[in-house]
Amino acid sequence: MRHYPAFLKLDGRTVLVLGHGEVADRKAEPLLAAGAVLRRAERFAPELLEGCALAIGADAPEADLFALSETAQARGIPVNIVDRPELCSFIMPAIIERDDITVAVSTGGAAPVLARMLRQRIEAALPPLIGRVAALGARFQAAVRAKLPALPARRAFLERAFTGRPAALAQAGRQAEAEAAFAEELEAAETTPPGMVHLVGGGPGAPDLLTLRALRLLGEADVIVHDRLVGEAVLAMARRDAERIFVGKSRANHCLPQEEINTLLVRLARQGKRVVRLKGGDPFVFGRGGEEAQELAREGIAFEVVPGVTAALACAAQAGIPLTHRGVARVLTLVTGHTREGRLDLDFAALARPGQTLAIYMGITTMPQLLEGLTTHGLPAHTPAALIEQGGTPAQRELRGPLEQVVEQAPGWVGKGPALLVIGEAVGEAVRMGARHDAAMC
Ligand code: SAH
């Protein structure tokens, strides 16, 4: 973050706007809307800054703008000279307003045009009367606090009210009915709502591969319990003030044993919290989500499972590998390369059968054993294969070739990210952007 965002209280404060012209006038408008007392001048003089909370310059002679910038900064008064970032101590965001709701967008001064484009998208996404919903919140703030002193209960109630009937009425402009509905729901609100655990698939690591449901739950969670596979980019989509608990988990290096994770989830839910148990990929694909769900069911805790884009799908999509392919692969098998007591305990005869694609999870260290098992049972050593690291993210890397060659080169190739091995004739059918284009043209 290059600039720290903050909203200034300017009601009754003096703001200097130096310069006369269209731009200066445009800058003056939101200042007036915020209740500022404007001091306008065409030429700069240091005494103009006396008692000022803020200063803005535009449409004035160069020397005056320069002097304004220098003097204001020397006195600690925030100053903006329009379109002259080097003379500014703050920048002005693109803003979207709905009554008391203000959304500010900044690209750190790097691309104001992009900020304006984003503003248009947010304008389109924000209902015109959403400000009325905020007003409803303000009107009942004290009453809500009094009735629901515990934060989780308060938050649960407000989230319901802000998406339910009171909000719908407020947005329809029916304020009196909205207030009545709000009061009625507040009256009926439970002071200690039961907690719930959402076992959420976080996908392969790219935030835009989260499902909409996962995104919503991340925005609502009181606490997020996550492990190593979930990267910062996905966590950044969560509510800022949600508590985060890291429970580790990398191969053979579990930070918290599974039983303790299970117990933790139960305890958090019993505190009335909305718990998101965030897992890489899909919770039910080699994610031990099943064990957590069983424990929650045993303890009588409400839970739901939210699917995520599993590594095999994300890797294959981005690598252009059709996991099933007409006439080539009619079976897709997800396999763990994780060993039990050092031994790969797999049905190699079944895995070596032709006409299928294998996606091997957690298989990096056991690839030589896998190769041996598969080839012993008849899979050709030159079967097309791809090792895909950090699949589905901008950092995806691929090592492709005949299986035996990939296995041989892998140790020198693998980096730090998680990697998946895909084996099968379908890997040889991979479509690339250009190739896909050609195909479309024939
Ligand atoms: N639940 C997860 C899998 C967890 S097991 C899912 O559905 O994707 C951990 C293994 O998943 C890693 O060892 C690796 O083989 C694979 N994996 C997870 N994310 C990956 C990614 N972004 N790219 C490649 N492989 C990944």
Side-chain angles (χ1 to χ4, degrees):
M1 197 189 320
R2 277 212 281 173
H3 298 88
Y4 181 77
F7 289 90
L8 287 183
K9 253 187 186 169
L10 288 178
D11 198 22
R13 306 290 306 274
T14 305
V15 174
L16 173 63
V17 177
L18 183 72
H20 267 301
E22 214 179 298
V23 179
D25 288 348
R26 215 168 42 234
K27 297 295 166 192
E29 272 169 36
L31 293 167
L32 284 170
V37 179
L38 294 196
R39 184 176 290 162
R40 304 278 311 243
E42 278 182 52
R43 305 298 307 262
F44 179 67
E47 51 282 10
L48 285 170
L49 283 170
E50 214 56 57
C52 277
L54 205 71
I56 292 177
D59 304 326
E62 177 77 9
D64 291 60
L65 293 173
F66 198 82
L68 167 62
S69 166
E70 207 173 54
T71 318
Q73 292 195 59
R75 295 200 199 166
I77 299 170
V79 59
N80 180 287
I81 308 295
V82 176
D83 286 337
R84 302 290 300 273
E86 75 284 6
L87 297 182
C88 294
S89 71
F90 76 93
I91 57 175
M92 277 173 286
I95 56 179
I96 301 104
E97 271 190 291
R98 298 282 186 279
D99 299 316
D100 281 348
I101 297 176
T102 310
V103 182
V105 180
S106 156
T107 54
V113 174
L114 180 62
R116 279 199 291 276
M117 285 162 57
L118 286 172
R119 181 180 65 182
Q120 274 167 1
R121 283 164 66 172
I122 297 169
E123 284 281 10
L126 273 189
L129 293 185
I130 190 74
R132 305 280 175 90
V133 181
L136 205 55
R139 154 98 173 70
F140 284 94
Q141 200 165 37
V144 172
R145 271 179 188 278
K147 166 92 198 254
L148 305 168
L151 186 62
R154 196 156 67 234
R155 186 176 292 137
F157 166 74
L158 286 172
E159 280 172 6
R160 261 199 327 277
F162 288 156
T163 48
R165 211 163 68 89
L169 287 165
Q171 290 190 59
R174 292 156 63 177
Q175 203 67 9
E177 287 163 85
E179 288 186 10
F182 194 103
E184 196 179 301
E185 291 197 8
L186 181 59
E187 182 64 32
E190 289 180 63
T191 38
T192 45
M196 176 160 176
V197 177
H198 306 266
L199 298 170
V200 176
D208 53 359
L209 284 179
L210 282 166
T211 63
L212 291 176
R213 195 187 301 177
L215 191 65
R216 175 173 59 76
L217 291 168
L218 282 172
E220 294 174 358
D222 295 311
V223 48
I224 294 167
V225 180
H226 62 100
D227 45 52
R228 196 185 56 100
L229 267 185
V230 178
E232 263 312 309
V234 168
L235 280 173
M237 308 305 285
R239 225 184 66 216
R240 285 295 159 116
D241 55 345
E243 183 188 352
R244 291 182 189 184
I245 304 178
F246 176 69
V247 289
K249 272 212 172 170
S250 57
R251 202 172 354 99
N253 175 24
H254 294 193
C255 290
L256 259 197
Q258 187 64 47
E259 303 72 54
E260 283 181 38
I261 297 177
N262 297 351
T263 318
L264 175 72
L265 296 178
V266 171
R267 187 167 35 124
L268 292 168
R270 291 238 162 93
Q271 291 166 2
K273 293 193 171 142
R274 200 109 41 101
V275 185
V276 165
R277 169 68 174 114
L278 187 62
K279 290 166 170 292
D282 180 273
F284 276 3
V285 178
F286 305 125
R288 304 191 73 172
E291 291 159 64
E292 292 171 15
Q294 280 173 341
E295 175 75 6
L296 294 166
R298 241 189 325 266
E299 296 291 330
I301 306 276
F303 70 92
E304 71 163 334
V305 182
V306 180
V309 177
T310 189
L313 304 187
C315 290
Q318 201 162 310
I321 298 169
L323 291 169
T324 65
H325 198 57
R326 215 174 137 80
V328 176
R330 33 178 68 232
V331 176
L332 165 66
T333 310
L334 307 185
V335 186
T336 171
H338 197 64
T339 54
R340 234 190 238 167
E341 283 131 28
R343 225 170 55 82
L344 256 191
D345 191 13
L346 297 172
D347 180 356
F348 285 113
L351 296 178
R353 258 179 229 134
Q356 68 178 316
T357 306
L358 306 178
I360 320 287
Y361 288 69
M362 298 176 281
I364 296 290
T365 53
T366 51
M367 278 198 304
Q369 275 187 65
L370 182 82
L371 175 67
E372 198 199 317
L374 288 174
T375 48
T376 309
H377 286 81
L379 187 93
H382 57 77
T383 304
L387 187 57
I388 302 168
E389 192 180 68
Q390 295 192 58
T393 76
Q396 171 162 325
R397 295 167 66 224
E398 296 154 32
L399 175 66
R400 289 167 188 258
L403 178 59
E404 57 185 346
Q405 186 187 313
V406 169
V407 173
E408 187 191 312
Q409 293 176 351
W413 178 86
V414 287
K416 278 199 290 270
L420 184 92
L421 178 63
V422 186
I423 306 170
E425 292 302 329
V427 178
E429 301 285 332
V431 246
R432 283 301 179 187
M433 264 292 238
R436 210 180 305 153
H437 192 67
D438 291 345
M441 292 201 310
C442 322

